[in-house]
Amino acid sequence: PGMKIMGALGKIFNSVWWFMGFQHFAEAVVENPDFVQRMFDKIATIQLDVLDRILAYDEVGAVIHADDLGYSEALMISPRHLRRFLFPWYKELVDRIHAKGKLAIFHSDGKIDAVMTDVIACGFDAVHPFEPKAMDIVEMKRLYGDRICLMGNIDLGYTLTRGTPDEVVAECKERLRVLAPGGGYCLASSNSIPEYVPYDNFL
């Protein structure tokens, strides 16, 4: 009783460049931006149709939109291009989620601190997963912890995958000690749990 489903919405940014191939996409952003805009518009429209179907269910309490904008060192494209092609669509999807009284969660791998204020401005309630090698979650909490919930950061590079259960417990307790005060932190892994995470570590 009272349990809710977290719906998962498909990708927009990733789908565009997957369809085009990244080199072609990166060139077209500069040389043929009108075509790139049409790609974003088409894919986002499809994803918003999917979102409306998800939101029709009262059992859904939140929707997570996973769209990887970066890798461990940087964003994949310039913030100005994301602001032109992508973030207006994020604002639309968040508005639809909130209109149904549900929470909007954003997932992106990699280093996205250069656009954190944009993600917040789109209206997302939480962001995930803050890979330790890519982002300093303590600094993100200091800068943005009063504006958005932070999720994740339990290390998949070592602790969850190759560490001991005691090391996992210690890391979880440390994250809670530093990040939980004042609210706005959700304990979670720094990405999806792969099959090679030992079961005892997961527990």
Side-chain angles (χ1 to χ4, degrees):
M3 183 179 251
K4 293 287 185 178
I5 296 166
M6 183 187 294
L9 181 66
K11 302 170 185 294
I12 298 174
F13 173 71
N14 293 159
S15 295
V16 170
W17 76 257
W18 286 344
F19 275 118
M20 297 179 67
F22 191 77
Q23 180 172 335
H24 182 203
F25 166 73
E27 293 168 351
V29 162
V30 175
E31 297 174 358
N32 196 355
D34 290 342
F35 175 74
V36 172
Q37 184 69 67
R38 293 201 305 274
M39 287 289 291
F40 273 95
D41 293 350
K42 180 65 174 179
I43 289 170
T45 299
I46 292 169
Q47 299 293 27
L48 287 170
D49 287 343
V50 174
L51 176 63
D52 289 340
R53 297 184 188 193
I54 294 172
L55 294 175
Y57 291 91
D58 292 337
E59 296 83 359
V60 171
V63 177
I64 184 164
H65 175 61
D67 215 10
D68 297 334
L69 306 182
Y71 55 101
S72 58
E73 285 81 30
L75 293 169
M76 294 178 71
I77 63 172
S78 166
R80 66 188 176 91
H81 296 312
L82 294 171
R83 290 168 187 143
R84 173 178 178 177
F85 298 116
L86 183 63
F87 292 149
W89 286 113
Y90 282 0
K91 179 69 166 59
E92 172 65 20
L93 74 86
V94 171
D95 287 348
R96 292 193 191 192
I97 294 168
H98 286 166
K100 292 290 187 176
K102 305 177 193 299
L103 296 173
I105 301 167
F106 179 62
H107 164 96
S108 174
D109 294 344
K111 185 175 173 61
I112 63 166
D113 52 334
V115 292
M116 274 293 293
T117 55
D118 298 278
V119 170
I120 293 168
C122 290
F124 285 102
D125 299 291
V127 63
H128 172 267
F130 294 96
E131 296 174 273
K133 67 179 180 179
M135 296 181 71
D136 181 350
I137 196 170
V138 175
E139 178 67 3
M140 293 296 102
K141 170 82 173 185
R142 185 185 71 79
L143 292 172
Y144 308 115
D146 60 340
R147 301 167 65 188
I148 196 165
C149 176
L150 312 182
M151 302 174 65
N153 201 238
I154 303 303
D155 187 23
L156 276 162
Y158 170 74
T159 315
L160 280 169
T161 48
R162 294 174 289 150
T164 66
D166 287 344
E167 287 175 305
V168 175
V169 169
E171 186 167 302
C172 289
K173 286 183 176 180
E174 176 64 12
R175 293 294 179 279
L176 291 171
R177 183 187 71 80
V178 175
L179 299 169
Y185 175 64
C186 180
L187 186 72
S189 63
S190 62
N191 210 310
S192 303
I193 300 288
E195 62 182 10
Y196 49 83
V197 167
Y199 188 57
D200 287 344
N201 284 6
F202 178 77
L203 290 179

PDB file of all heavy atoms in Angstrom, residues 7 9 24 29 33 51 55 59 67 69 71 80 83 85 91 99 110 159 169 176 179 182 194 197:
ATOM      1  N   GLY A   7       8.471   5.351 -13.561  1.00  0.00           N
ATOM      2  CA  GLY A   7       8.486   5.113 -15.000  1.00  0.00           C
ATOM      3  C   GLY A   7       9.801   5.566 -15.609  1.00  0.00           C
ATOM      4  O   GLY A   7      10.417   6.525 -15.136  1.00  0.00           O
ATOM      5  N   LEU A   9      11.562   6.946 -19.002  1.00  0.00           N
ATOM      6  CA  LEU A   9      11.329   7.547 -20.318  1.00  0.00           C
ATOM      7  C   LEU A   9      12.582   7.433 -21.172  1.00  0.00           C
ATOM      8  O   LEU A   9      13.691   7.640 -20.690  1.00  0.00           O
ATOM      9  CB  LEU A   9      10.951   9.020 -20.162  1.00  0.00           C
ATOM     10  CG  LEU A   9      10.644   9.770 -21.456  1.00  0.00           C
ATOM     11  CD1 LEU A   9       9.390   9.214 -22.119  1.00  0.00           C
ATOM     12  CD2 LEU A   9      10.492  11.259 -21.190  1.00  0.00           C
ATOM     13  N   HIS A  24      29.008  12.474 -37.639  1.00  0.00           N
ATOM     14  CA  HIS A  24      28.068  13.174 -38.515  1.00  0.00           C
ATOM     15  C   HIS A  24      27.233  14.166 -37.708  1.00  0.00           C
ATOM     16  O   HIS A  24      27.008  15.306 -38.124  1.00  0.00           O
ATOM     17  CB  HIS A  24      27.175  12.158 -39.221  1.00  0.00           C
ATOM     18  CG  HIS A  24      26.210  12.773 -40.182  1.00  0.00           C
ATOM     19  ND1 HIS A  24      25.048  12.158 -40.569  1.00  0.00           N
ATOM     20  CD2 HIS A  24      26.230  13.958 -40.848  1.00  0.00           C
ATOM     21  CE1 HIS A  24      24.402  12.928 -41.420  1.00  0.00           C
ATOM     22  NE2 HIS A  24      25.101  14.030 -41.601  1.00  0.00           N
ATOM     23  N   VAL A  29      25.734  19.710 -36.263  1.00  0.00           N
ATOM     24  CA  VAL A  29      25.381  20.727 -35.278  1.00  0.00           C
ATOM     25  C   VAL A  29      25.862  22.106 -35.730  1.00  0.00           C
ATOM     26  O   VAL A  29      25.189  23.117 -35.533  1.00  0.00           O
ATOM     27  CB  VAL A  29      25.967  20.357 -33.895  1.00  0.00           C
ATOM     28  CG1 VAL A  29      25.996  21.562 -32.972  1.00  0.00           C
ATOM     29  CG2 VAL A  29      25.165  19.228 -33.261  1.00  0.00           C
ATOM     30  N   PRO A  33      22.439  22.971 -38.740  1.00  0.00           N
ATOM     31  CA  PRO A  33      21.681  22.980 -37.486  1.00  0.00           C
ATOM     32  C   PRO A  33      20.175  22.828 -37.680  1.00  0.00           C
ATOM     33  O   PRO A  33      19.491  22.314 -36.786  1.00  0.00           O
ATOM     34  CB  PRO A  33      22.036  24.334 -36.864  1.00  0.00           C
ATOM     35  CG  PRO A  33      22.496  25.174 -38.017  1.00  0.00           C
ATOM     36  CD  PRO A  33      23.163  24.232 -38.963  1.00  0.00           C
ATOM     37  N   LEU A  51       5.691   9.464 -22.898  1.00  0.00           N
ATOM     38  CA  LEU A  51       5.530  10.026 -21.558  1.00  0.00           C
ATOM     39  C   LEU A  51       4.053  10.157 -21.189  1.00  0.00           C
ATOM     40  O   LEU A  51       3.658   9.821 -20.064  1.00  0.00           O
ATOM     41  CB  LEU A  51       6.212  11.393 -21.481  1.00  0.00           C
ATOM     42  CG  LEU A  51       6.044  12.159 -20.168  1.00  0.00           C
ATOM     43  CD1 LEU A  51       6.683  11.399 -19.006  1.00  0.00           C
ATOM     44  CD2 LEU A  51       6.635  13.560 -20.281  1.00  0.00           C
ATOM     45  N   LEU A  55       2.257   8.645 -17.894  1.00  0.00           N
ATOM     46  CA  LEU A  55       1.610   9.511 -16.910  1.00  0.00           C
ATOM     47  C   LEU A  55       0.135   9.186 -16.714  1.00  0.00           C
ATOM     48  O   LEU A  55      -0.482   9.635 -15.744  1.00  0.00           O
ATOM     49  CB  LEU A  55       1.763  10.971 -17.334  1.00  0.00           C
ATOM     50  CG  LEU A  55       3.193  11.525 -17.337  1.00  0.00           C
ATOM     51  CD1 LEU A  55       3.209  12.945 -17.896  1.00  0.00           C
ATOM     52  CD2 LEU A  55       3.798  11.492 -15.935  1.00  0.00           C
ATOM     53  N   GLU A  59      -0.578   4.773 -10.668  1.00  0.00           N
ATOM     54  CA  GLU A  59       0.432   4.039  -9.907  1.00  0.00           C
ATOM     55  C   GLU A  59       1.837   4.584 -10.099  1.00  0.00           C
ATOM     56  O   GLU A  59       2.750   4.263  -9.341  1.00  0.00           O
ATOM     57  CB  GLU A  59       0.412   2.552 -10.292  1.00  0.00           C
ATOM     58  CG  GLU A  59      -0.870   1.823  -9.953  1.00  0.00           C
ATOM     59  CD  GLU A  59      -1.970   2.006 -11.004  1.00  0.00           C
ATOM     60  OE1 GLU A  59      -1.729   2.724 -12.007  1.00  0.00           O
ATOM     61  OE2 GLU A  59      -3.054   1.435 -10.818  1.00  0.00           O
ATOM     62  N   ASP A  67      19.406  10.309 -20.160  1.00  0.00           N
ATOM     63  CA  ASP A  67      19.926  10.869 -21.404  1.00  0.00           C
ATOM     64  C   ASP A  67      21.364  11.312 -21.127  1.00  0.00           C
ATOM     65  O   ASP A  67      21.582  12.352 -20.530  1.00  0.00           O
ATOM     66  CB  ASP A  67      19.069  12.056 -21.830  1.00  0.00           C
ATOM     67  CG  ASP A  67      18.923  12.186 -23.329  1.00  0.00           C
ATOM     68  OD1 ASP A  67      19.311  11.270 -24.073  1.00  0.00           O
ATOM     69  OD2 ASP A  67      18.372  13.222 -23.770  1.00  0.00           O
ATOM     70  N   LEU A  69      24.625  13.015 -21.230  1.00  0.00           N
ATOM     71  CA  LEU A  69      25.141  14.228 -21.867  1.00  0.00           C
ATOM     72  C   LEU A  69      26.657  14.312 -21.844  1.00  0.00           C
ATOM     73  O   LEU A  69      27.228  15.150 -22.532  1.00  0.00           O
ATOM     74  CB  LEU A  69      24.567  15.476 -21.174  1.00  0.00           C
ATOM     75  CG  LEU A  69      23.050  15.567 -21.044  1.00  0.00           C
ATOM     76  CD1 LEU A  69      22.663  16.884 -20.393  1.00  0.00           C
ATOM     77  CD2 LEU A  69      22.368  15.399 -22.391  1.00  0.00           C
ATOM     78  N   TYR A  71      30.757  12.389 -20.658  1.00  0.00           N
ATOM     79  CA  TYR A  71      31.599  11.262 -20.276  1.00  0.00           C
ATOM     80  C   TYR A  71      32.402  11.737 -19.069  1.00  0.00           C
ATOM     81  O   TYR A  71      32.103  12.810 -18.518  1.00  0.00           O
ATOM     82  CB  TYR A  71      32.468  10.783 -21.443  1.00  0.00           C
ATOM     83  CG  TYR A  71      33.324  11.844 -22.089  1.00  0.00           C
ATOM     84  CD1 TYR A  71      34.671  11.947 -21.789  1.00  0.00           C
ATOM     85  CD2 TYR A  71      32.786  12.749 -23.012  1.00  0.00           C
ATOM     86  CE1 TYR A  71      35.466  12.929 -22.378  1.00  0.00           C
ATOM     87  CE2 TYR A  71      33.579  13.729 -23.592  1.00  0.00           C
ATOM     88  CZ  TYR A  71      34.912  13.809 -23.271  1.00  0.00           C
ATOM     89  OH  TYR A  71      35.686  14.777 -23.847  1.00  0.00           O
ATOM     90  N   ARG A  80      26.018  25.463 -25.188  1.00  0.00           N
ATOM     91  CA  ARG A  80      25.145  26.332 -25.993  1.00  0.00           C
ATOM     92  C   ARG A  80      24.315  25.519 -26.974  1.00  0.00           C
ATOM     93  O   ARG A  80      23.172  25.884 -27.283  1.00  0.00           O
ATOM     94  CB  ARG A  80      25.940  27.422 -26.713  1.00  0.00           C
ATOM     95  CG  ARG A  80      26.903  26.959 -27.779  1.00  0.00           C
ATOM     96  CD  ARG A  80      27.760  28.131 -28.275  1.00  0.00           C
ATOM     97  NE  ARG A  80      28.762  27.709 -29.218  1.00  0.00           N
ATOM     98  CZ  ARG A  80      28.573  27.683 -30.539  1.00  0.00           C
ATOM     99  NH1 ARG A  80      27.424  28.073 -31.062  1.00  0.00           N
ATOM    100  NH2 ARG A  80      29.547  27.279 -31.335  1.00  0.00           N
ATOM    101  N   ARG A  83      21.533  23.924 -24.965  1.00  0.00           N
ATOM    102  CA  ARG A  83      20.511  24.928 -24.644  1.00  0.00           C
ATOM    103  C   ARG A  83      19.613  25.224 -25.845  1.00  0.00           C
ATOM    104  O   ARG A  83      18.430  25.510 -25.684  1.00  0.00           O
ATOM    105  CB  ARG A  83      21.187  26.204 -24.147  1.00  0.00           C
ATOM    106  CG  ARG A  83      21.823  26.049 -22.776  1.00  0.00           C
ATOM    107  CD  ARG A  83      22.725  27.203 -22.395  1.00  0.00           C
ATOM    108  NE  ARG A  83      23.413  26.899 -21.136  1.00  0.00           N
ATOM    109  CZ  ARG A  83      24.652  27.244 -20.860  1.00  0.00           C
ATOM    110  NH1 ARG A  83      25.375  27.934 -21.755  1.00  0.00           N
ATOM    111  NH2 ARG A  83      25.197  26.905 -19.707  1.00  0.00           N
ATOM    112  N   PHE A  85      19.043  23.021 -28.640  1.00  0.00           N
ATOM    113  CA  PHE A  85      18.324  21.883 -29.198  1.00  0.00           C
ATOM    114  C   PHE A  85      17.568  21.046 -28.167  1.00  0.00           C
ATOM    115  O   PHE A  85      16.530  20.466 -28.492  1.00  0.00           O
ATOM    116  CB  PHE A  85      19.298  20.955 -29.937  1.00  0.00           C
ATOM    117  CG  PHE A  85      19.997  21.572 -31.104  1.00  0.00           C
ATOM    118  CD1 PHE A  85      21.376  21.739 -31.105  1.00  0.00           C
ATOM    119  CD2 PHE A  85      19.286  22.005 -32.216  1.00  0.00           C
ATOM    120  CE1 PHE A  85      22.032  22.301 -32.189  1.00  0.00           C
ATOM    121  CE2 PHE A  85      19.937  22.575 -33.304  1.00  0.00           C
ATOM    122  CZ  PHE A  85      21.312  22.723 -33.289  1.00  0.00           C
ATOM    123  N   LYS A  91      12.318  20.953 -20.552  1.00  0.00           N
ATOM    124  CA  LYS A  91      11.354  21.788 -19.825  1.00  0.00           C
ATOM    125  C   LYS A  91       9.933  21.316 -20.103  1.00  0.00           C
ATOM    126  O   LYS A  91       9.096  21.229 -19.186  1.00  0.00           O
ATOM    127  CB  LYS A  91      11.527  23.249 -20.244  1.00  0.00           C
ATOM    128  CG  LYS A  91      10.570  24.231 -19.588  1.00  0.00           C
ATOM    129  CD  LYS A  91      10.870  24.399 -18.113  1.00  0.00           C
ATOM    130  CE  LYS A  91      10.174  25.616 -17.498  1.00  0.00           C
ATOM    131  NZ  LYS A  91       8.706  25.581 -17.605  1.00  0.00           N
ATOM    132  N   ALA A  99       2.537  18.479 -14.060  1.00  0.00           N
ATOM    133  CA  ALA A  99       1.103  18.726 -14.221  1.00  0.00           C
ATOM    134  C   ALA A  99       0.266  17.551 -13.724  1.00  0.00           C
ATOM    135  O   ALA A  99      -0.900  17.716 -13.350  1.00  0.00           O
ATOM    136  CB  ALA A  99       0.773  19.022 -15.684  1.00  0.00           C
ATOM    137  N   GLY A 110      28.520  10.877 -16.526  1.00  0.00           N
ATOM    138  CA  GLY A 110      29.596  11.795 -16.864  1.00  0.00           C
ATOM    139  C   GLY A 110      29.579  13.124 -16.132  1.00  0.00           C
ATOM    140  O   GLY A 110      28.817  13.358 -15.198  1.00  0.00           O
ATOM    141  N   THR A 159      34.118   0.144  -5.160  1.00  0.00           N
ATOM    142  CA  THR A 159      33.462  -0.309  -3.927  1.00  0.00           C
ATOM    143  C   THR A 159      32.408  -1.385  -4.169  1.00  0.00           C
ATOM    144  O   THR A 159      32.469  -2.474  -3.591  1.00  0.00           O
ATOM    145  CB  THR A 159      32.828   0.884  -3.194  1.00  0.00           C
ATOM    146  OG1 THR A 159      33.759   1.965  -3.166  1.00  0.00           O
ATOM    147  CG2 THR A 159      32.475   0.496  -1.768  1.00  0.00           C
ATOM    148  N   VAL A 169      29.303  -0.685   3.104  1.00  0.00           N
ATOM    149  CA  VAL A 169      28.618  -0.093   4.259  1.00  0.00           C
ATOM    150  C   VAL A 169      29.302   1.208   4.681  1.00  0.00           C
ATOM    151  O   VAL A 169      28.643   2.237   4.917  1.00  0.00           O
ATOM    152  CB  VAL A 169      28.579  -1.093   5.439  1.00  0.00           C
ATOM    153  CG1 VAL A 169      28.125  -0.389   6.723  1.00  0.00           C
ATOM    154  CG2 VAL A 169      27.660  -2.260   5.113  1.00  0.00           C
ATOM    155  N   LEU A 176      25.916   9.362   3.594  1.00  0.00           N
ATOM    156  CA  LEU A 176      24.791   9.834   4.398  1.00  0.00           C
ATOM    157  C   LEU A 176      25.246  10.866   5.429  1.00  0.00           C
ATOM    158  O   LEU A 176      24.563  11.869   5.661  1.00  0.00           O
ATOM    159  CB  LEU A 176      24.102   8.655   5.086  1.00  0.00           C
ATOM    160  CG  LEU A 176      23.350   7.709   4.146  1.00  0.00           C
ATOM    161  CD1 LEU A 176      22.892   6.467   4.910  1.00  0.00           C
ATOM    162  CD2 LEU A 176      22.166   8.389   3.488  1.00  0.00           C
ATOM    163  N   LEU A 179      26.104  14.075   3.151  1.00  0.00           N
ATOM    164  CA  LEU A 179      25.133  14.603   2.197  1.00  0.00           C
ATOM    165  C   LEU A 179      23.692  14.644   2.702  1.00  0.00           C
ATOM    166  O   LEU A 179      22.878  15.395   2.182  1.00  0.00           O
ATOM    167  CB  LEU A 179      25.178  13.773   0.908  1.00  0.00           C
ATOM    168  CG  LEU A 179      26.523  13.774   0.180  1.00  0.00           C
ATOM    169  CD1 LEU A 179      26.537  12.728  -0.918  1.00  0.00           C
ATOM    170  CD2 LEU A 179      26.842  15.149  -0.385  1.00  0.00           C
ATOM    171  N   GLY A 182      19.999  18.194   6.159  1.00  0.00           N
ATOM    172  CA  GLY A 182      19.209  19.171   5.418  1.00  0.00           C
ATOM    173  C   GLY A 182      18.324  18.563   4.360  1.00  0.00           C
ATOM    174  O   GLY A 182      17.530  19.259   3.730  1.00  0.00           O
ATOM    175  N   PRO A 194      25.354  -3.492 -12.502  1.00  0.00           N
ATOM    176  CA  PRO A 194      25.622  -4.570 -13.463  1.00  0.00           C
ATOM    177  C   PRO A 194      25.608  -5.936 -12.775  1.00  0.00           C
ATOM    178  O   PRO A 194      25.661  -6.037 -11.545  1.00  0.00           O
ATOM    179  CB  PRO A 194      27.016  -4.235 -13.986  1.00  0.00           C
ATOM    180  CG  PRO A 194      27.668  -3.498 -12.855  1.00  0.00           C
ATOM    181  CD  PRO A 194      26.578  -2.768 -12.128  1.00  0.00           C
ATOM    182  N   VAL A 197      28.202  -7.114  -9.947  1.00  0.00           N
ATOM    183  CA  VAL A 197      28.242  -6.641  -8.559  1.00  0.00           C
ATOM    184  C   VAL A 197      27.905  -7.827  -7.648  1.00  0.00           C
ATOM    185  O   VAL A 197      26.851  -8.436  -7.803  1.00  0.00           O
ATOM    186  CB  VAL A 197      27.242  -5.494  -8.332  1.00  0.00           C
ATOM    187  CG1 VAL A 197      27.054  -5.225  -6.845  1.00  0.00           C
ATOM    188  CG2 VAL A 197      27.705  -4.225  -9.034  1.00  0.00           C
TER     189      VAL A 197
END
